[in-house]
Each structure stands twice: as structure tokens, then as C-alpha cells.
Amino acid sequence: MFSAKLTSHVTLNALRRIHHGPCFYSMPSCFHHKEGGRTRHSNHTETNILGRVDPSANRPPVRLHRTHNHGRRSFGFSAANIVNSAPVPVQPYLRLMRLDKPIGTWLLYLPCTWSIALASDPGCLPDLCMLSLFGTGAVLMRGAGCTINDMWDKDFDTKVSRTASRPIASGEISQRQALVFLGGQLSLALGILLCLNYYSIALGAASLSLVITYPLMKRITYWPQFVLGLTFNWGALLGWAAVKGSCDWSVCLPLYFSGVMWTLIYDTIYAHQDKEDDIKVGVKSTALRFQDTTKRWLSGFTVAMISGLVVAGVNAEQTLPYYAVLSTVAVHLTHQIYSVDINNPEDCWKKFVSNRNLGLLLFLGIVAGGLWKERKETLLQDEETAR
């Protein structure tokens, strides 16, 4: 009896290995490939920030992995899975605001977190309530920006296969429905803005003109990434004002400037993925402007970004942890620019996405530097007492 059970068990395991291999996916109709230790779908159509085409779309929302732990499966969920689980009539609106593609929301939100953290009192963590308000606002304003972008770009989107499936371009949502939806998003964002002080309300309202006009810039200038930087980094001003009641321009302006330089870096890299499509539909970008000189331009933007962050740190009386992290950020950007292959869309996408982690790292450095201030002040007080 024992030998029979053993034979049966061995035979079953052998069949499993032959049929599936040591690691398989339970979605046989989808072809996957590995990149950088991460499984990615072979059909890419995601969009970034306010509407550019993203090469990582249509990833399977739920990935089932064979493990070596007696065949049990582990589940991985994505933002796309949340959208796909929503009621069918709602899904086009969620896709219109790019809720299934959160990278743009992160890049809009992170400058807000830097400013909020810099404005925190010495030895204190950033205000969690304020971080939550700005996070919700980032989702809504990024969604509003994407809606405006798609309303402006409907005719362009229908000419490019990768954007033809967008809700407005494909006819899932009419221009009128999109306008009503836009009004709803802006109304909710206004409700969040009204939770702040009067100075912040006025400052936040001033950014609306940039949100509306940014999508038009790629029609008239090779520098739409610069206008995107002005738009996406407004939170560097607004975050400090929300905490302190007004802007300390000696801190906020260099921080804002650094954020604009950062956007020029990551979105120029991203724009190199769309060079052929941009020429096809007749729109402009810094990628087309810089071409083979891109790395020299990006190096200059990096120097300017780090310089601005140093000035902001000095004026905010930041401490050693902040500058240590800032050095790491500089190394990351240097490697990113040196190693990026501007003619390889997959590599451009990988470098572009890495900026989310860079922004999070800088936020942690600001928080650590703020907490270190208390220790520094305590040591000074102890020295004075000893004297």
C-alpha cells in the first residue's frame, strides 16, 4: 500500500512538472514576459500623467503564480483590477480619469508631500490628515486633467491605435458626458480645497488655468513638459501654505523649481517612447526638440534640480539625513540618465516609473531630517545646561 501511494504521488508530481513547469500562470490565453524581475503583459497601452501613451497597459489585473509550496497560488492585485471589478457602466469613467493607472497620481502627489514634510515642526512627523487630503485631491485633479486632455485630444487619439480605445475617442463617453463628469471631479476637488485656509484656497484656485491649458501646449511648443512641470508641482507651493498659512518663498520657490526640473527629466524620458506617434499626429515634445542631445539636457536639469533642493533644505534648516538622501537621489538620477536607452521604449518606461521611488525616497529624507532637528536642538540645550 505504501509503495502504491508513493508511486501515485511521484507520477502526479511528474505530470504537473511536464504540463506546467515549475512556475506557471493560470491564464493560458495571455502571453507574458519577464522584465526586471517583474512579469509584464505583452500588449502595452497604458497612459501616463495627463494622457501620454504608456507601454504597460492591459496587464492582467490578477496574476496567479504557481509556488513551490505544494501548488498553492498567491494572488497579486493591481489598480486595474479595482477598476475592472467596478460596475460596467462606471468603468469607462474610471478609465477616463486613469484610476487604473496610478503613476501619474503619484508624480502629482509627491511634491505635495515634500512641501508638507518641510513645513512640519522640528521633531514632528508630517500631518497625516493633511497628507490624506492632498492624496485625495491628487487623485481628483489628475483625473480632471486626464478628462480635459482627452476632450481636447479626441481627434488625435482616434488616429493612433494605442489611444483609439480611450473612452471618449472610442465613443463610450460623449463630450457632453465627459463635461458633466469633469464638473463632478472639480466640484469634489473644490470641496477638499475648501478644507484649507483662505490663502491656500486662493493659491489652489490659481492652478486651474494650468490644468486646463496644459493639453494644448503640445500643439504650439516643443516644451509641453515644462508646462506640465508648472502644473504638476503646484503642490510644492500649496503644501507649505496649507500647513503654515502662507508661503515662505525662500523655501517654496526653490522646491517648486526643483520639481519642475524633475518633471522635465522624467517626462522627457517618457516622451521618447512616443516620438513616432507624435510626428505622425503633428504634436511636439522635448524629446523631439532634444533628440540626440537629450542626455546633455537631462544632465543640466539634474544639476538644477539638486541645486534647488539644496537651497530649499538650507532655508528650511534641514539636517544631515536630508542631505544624505539628497546625495542618493543625485546618484539615482545620474545612473538613470547615463543608462537610459532613448530608442528603447521598454527601457524608457522602466526609467520613468523609477521616479516614483525617487520621490518617495526624497520624502523620507525630508521626514528624517525634520525628526533629526529635535535631536540636534536637544544636544544644544544639554551643552548650554552643562556650561
Side-chain angles (χ1 to χ4, degrees), residues 66-80:
R66 167 72 72 181
T67 70
H68 294 287
N69 192 11
H70 302 290
R72 288 199 295 267
R73 295 184 176 100
S74 61
F75 291 79
F77 294 94
S78 68

Side-chain angles (χ1 to χ4, degrees), residues 49-51 96-99 104-106 108-109 112 133-149 181-193 203-215 228 231-232 234-235 238:
I49 309 181
L50 295 182
L96 178 60
M97 65 184 298
R98 310 292 195 271
L99 196 63
T105 303
W106 275 110
L108 176 62
Y109 177 53
C112 305
L133 280 175
F134 273 78
T136 306
V139 172
L140 291 169
M141 288 307 297
R142 192 259 181 144
C146 290
T147 302
I148 294 170
N149 181 84
F181 183 57
L182 174 62
Q185 292 176 89
L186 292 177
S187 297
L188 291 173
L190 176 61
I192 292 176
L193 187 62
L203 188 62
S207 69
L208 189 58
S209 60
L210 288 171
V211 175
I212 293 173
T213 58
Y214 159 71
L228 178 66
T231 307
F232 255 53
W234 201 259
L238 191 57

Side-chain angles (χ1 to χ4, degrees), residues 50 90 115 121 156 179 181 188 198 252 263 279 355 379 385:
L50 295 182
V90 176
S115 188
D121 293 331
F156 285 156
L179 183 61
F181 183 57
L188 291 173
Y198 290 121
C252 294
T263 301
I279 294 173
N355 283 276
L379 291 175
T385 302

Side-chain angles (χ1 to χ4, degrees), residues 192-204:
I192 292 176
L193 187 62
L194 292 176
C195 295
L196 307 179
N197 55 63
Y198 290 121
Y199 187 97
S200 300
I201 293 172
L203 188 62

